[in-house]
Amino acid sequence: MNDADFRSKKTMKVRGGQIPQGSVKVSGAKNAATRLMAAALLTDERVTLYNFPTELVDARYKADFMRKVGAVVEFDEGSSLLTIHADQATTPDLDNYAYPIRTTYLLVAGQLNKTGLARIPYPGGCSIGKRKYDLHVMVWERMGCEVKEKEDHIEIRGQLKPAEINFPISTIGGTENALICGAGIEGTTIIRNAYVSPEVYCLIEFLHSLGANIKTTGNSFISVTGSTKLRGSTFKVIPDRIEALTWIIFGALSQGAIIIENVPFDVMDSPLLHLRESGLDIYQNSTNVYINKHCLKNGSIQPFELACGTYPGVISDMQPFFTLLGLKAQGISRIYDYRYPDRTAYLGEMAKFCPDALRWESGKITIHGPGKFQATDAVSTDLRGSMGMVIAGLLADGVSTISDVGMALRGYDRMLEKLQVLGIECELLDDGNGPNGIELSSEGQPPANSG
């Protein structure tokens, strides 16, 4: 992937009714991998991350920023490796701070520890309700730094010092920020009301491998004893539980025959339980899932109710895929989201595929199944919603167009390649750069010379 690839806006055309066949391997978790990248700025020694999702747009944006502050960042796509060497990292004043990623705040600690000054873009990412950055400002100020909000970036000055951080609400991003800030300094930092998700635990294990001493009690108390002399590391990124769920639900709804490899069963108990209770009989071994049309016990999806909240429950990022599941269910399903009640922007676009099947309000989605999927033109509103619309298009009659599908590419490593391995013909258009996939004719059939 080159700079033009990850920066350009993309549109995807998909032909519905295709039956996927084959194997797909779950990549390293986006919500772990991009955090480990930022944490690698803490050490002057080389860091190698394997099982890394090298084609993620978010990872490429973060690598671009890290290079501009002086780190050496190298992707090995063939081996799913990333190497980072940040011994020459500094804090330049950039001409452009426009970066559409959420976790820019995690890049502060590495800069501060080297120069006493950090400059970062304002956090971007998906619009899924109120997600401000006030808790990150609180972390930096509690740890002894001065924060100034400039026109196009945030500037943080000072030397981080150990502190006690008491979050008013449980927060993944705040927990990650406090962990990284505490790991690179001498002394012990206490984090209360933390949120230890599987991806946060992966970050903790990575910081352990660098030489920090971190202890957790339950799911909300963390003690971080850091060091200014952290070492290098070779570390494996955990598999992506959200991607795994995506492929499982796609396989079930399409009635294809898919083997999903590298599934992190140990962190998926709750979502898999809900799938089973909706009538899905999942065939699995220790690492893989096999889905085919015989997995539906009664030949159809059963209606369900579930609530999205914090881990170990069904998390909000999984909501769009359970919405798809409800659209195929034989009756009325309901989804409640207590974590992000205003994660509803994608529903207006998703409703185009199944008119009159979706009703929603803040914190509640009512799904009248089974809906009849029809081809349409939809616009991506967020990462997971965008991938949900790609699947909806594959379930519909005719050819659908999903605009700004680059949002899905922010979180799905090698998405086009994996769809094609499953036998799915689709077309990915880079604005101004032509197609990057199998071209579909206006009737939705691949041209004769497509191979």
Side-chain angles (χ1 to χ4, degrees), residues 92 113 122 134 142 147 181 186 217 288 297 339 368 419:
N113 291 355
Y122 281 96
D134 55 310
R142 290 277 177 86
V147 181
C181 286
E186 301 292 340
T217 302
N288 301 340
K297 293 179 182 178
R339 186 70 178 172
H368 295 265
L419 287 171

Side-chain angles (χ1 to χ4, degrees), residues 294-323:
H294 303 296
C295 289
L296 295 178
K297 293 179 182 178
N298 296 331
S300 61
I301 302 293
Q302 304 308 306
F304 57 87
E305 289 195 5
L306 66 83
C308 298
T310 58
Y311 177 79
V314 175
I315 60 172
S316 186
D317 277 353
M318 296 175 175
Q319 183 211 104
F321 309 107
F322 279 101
T323 297

Side-chain angles (χ1 to χ4, degrees), residues 192-256:
R192 300 183 188 276
N193 207 12
Y195 182 171
V196 184
S197 68
E199 294 78 18
V200 170
Y201 189 76
C202 181
L203 174 61
I204 290 172
E205 290 295 293
F206 175 66
L207 294 171
H208 270 304
S209 75
L210 298 183
N213 184 6
I214 304 174
K215 299 177 181 178
T216 61
T217 302
N219 204 39
S220 63
F221 179 89
I222 304 176
S223 169
V224 186
T225 302
S227 172
T228 57
K229 299 294 183 182
L230 295 176
R231 55 180 174 261
S233 175
T234 298
F235 190 83
K236 182 180 180 180
V237 181
I238 61 172
D240 196 313
R241 55 187 169 137
I242 306 168
E243 184 191 355
L245 181 78
T246 304
W247 295 121
I248 291 170
I249 288 181
F250 174 49
L253 298 185
S254 64
Q255 297 193 24

Side-chain angles (χ1 to χ4, degrees), residues 120-336:
I120 59 162
Y122 281 96
C126 298
S127 178
I128 58 172
K130 296 178 180 179
R131 298 201 308 174
K132 300 178 181 179
Y133 53 87
D134 55 310
L135 296 180
H136 304 292
V137 173
M138 182 193 82
V139 169
W140 300 320
E141 290 181 340
R142 290 277 177 86
M143 298 185 76
C145 295
E146 179 186 7
V147 181
K148 291 185 178 180
E149 297 178 64
K150 304 286 188 174
E151 182 178 352
D152 60 349
H153 67 279
I154 304 173
E155 186 174 282
I156 304 95
R157 290 181 180 271
Q159 293 295 330
L160 293 166
K161 300 175 182 177
E164 184 167 316
I165 309 295
N166 293 285
F167 288 116
I169 59 171
S170 64
T171 162
I172 287 183
T175 300
E176 293 166 336
N177 193 9
L179 275 167
I180 294 174
C181 286
I185 59 175
E186 301 292 340
T188 299
T189 295
I190 300 298
I191 309 170
R192 300 183 188 276
N193 207 12
Y195 182 171
V196 184
S197 68
E199 294 78 18
V200 170
Y201 189 76
C202 181
L203 174 61
I204 290 172
E205 290 295 293
F206 175 66
L207 294 171
H208 270 304
S209 75
L210 298 183
N213 184 6
I214 304 174
K215 299 177 181 178
T216 61
T217 302
N219 204 39
S220 63
F221 179 89
I222 304 176
S223 169
V224 186
T225 302
S227 172
T228 57
K229 299 294 183 182
L230 295 176
R231 55 180 174 261
S233 175
T234 298
F235 190 83
K236 182 180 180 180
V237 181
I238 61 172
D240 196 313
R241 55 187 169 137
I242 306 168
E243 184 191 355
L245 181 78
T246 304
W247 295 121
I248 291 170
I249 288 181
F250 174 49
L253 298 185
S254 64
Q255 297 193 24
I258 303 178
I259 297 173
I260 301 111
E261 303 173 357
N262 202 31
V263 177
F265 292 110
D266 57 329
V267 296
M268 293 185 66
D269 286 346
S270 184
L272 292 177
L273 174 64
H274 282 286
L275 290 183
R276 291 187 178 98
E277 294 196 347
S278 70
L280 188 59
D281 190 8
I282 298 172
Y283 305 146
Q284 68 180 72
N285 60 19
S286 59
T287 58
N288 301 340
V289 165
Y290 177 55
I291 295 290
N292 64 21
K293 63 183 179 180
H294 303 296
C295 289
L296 295 178
K297 293 179 182 178
N298 296 331
S300 61
I301 302 293
Q302 304 308 306
F304 57 87
E305 289 195 5
L306 66 83
C308 298
T310 58
Y311 177 79
V314 175
I315 60 172
S316 186
D317 277 353
M318 296 175 175
Q319 183 211 104
F321 309 107
F322 279 101
T323 297
L324 282 170
L325 194 71
L327 286 170
K328 281 286 192 177
Q330 299 292 316
I332 297 175
S333 299
R334 293 179 178 87
I335 299 175
Y336 302 89

Side-chain angles (χ1 to χ4, degrees), residues 9-142:
K9 295 189 73 172
K10 292 177 171 59
T11 295
M12 179 171 271
K13 289 187 177 182
V14 296
R15 175 169 53 86
Q18 301 181 76
I19 307 300
Q21 306 276 340
S23 299
V24 62
K25 184 177 181 180
V26 175
S27 297
K30 174 247 187 190
N31 288 338
T34 53
R35 279 63 168 174
L36 304 186
M37 291 178 72
L41 286 176
L42 293 174
T43 176
D44 288 340
E45 298 185 20
R46 185 178 301 274
V47 168
T48 300
L49 303 174
Y50 64 104
N51 194 41
F52 192 92
T54 58
E55 298 299 298
L56 286 188
V57 168
D58 272 17
R60 294 290 175 153
Y61 269 113
K62 186 159 282 186
D64 180 76
F65 183 85
M66 292 172 66
R67 288 170 179 145
K68 286 177 179 174
V69 301
V72 176
V73 184
E74 298 176 335
F75 292 93
D76 182 341
E77 292 88 350
S79 301
S80 296
L81 287 176
L82 177 68
T83 57
I84 300 169
H85 200 184
D87 61 325
Q88 300 299 313
T90 182
T91 309
D93 192 357
L94 304 182
D95 294 331
N96 183 1
Y97 284 94
Y99 283 82
I101 53 177
R102 174 69 186 166
T103 57
T104 57
Y105 45 78
L106 300 182
L107 297 161
V108 167
Q111 294 181 69
L112 279 179
N113 291 355
K114 287 179 168 63
T115 68
L117 171 66
R119 296 186 179 101
I120 59 162
Y122 281 96
C126 298
S127 178
I128 58 172
K130 296 178 180 179
R131 298 201 308 174
K132 300 178 181 179
Y133 53 87
D134 55 310
L135 296 180
H136 304 292
V137 173
M138 182 193 82
V139 169
W140 300 320
E141 290 181 340
R142 290 277 177 86

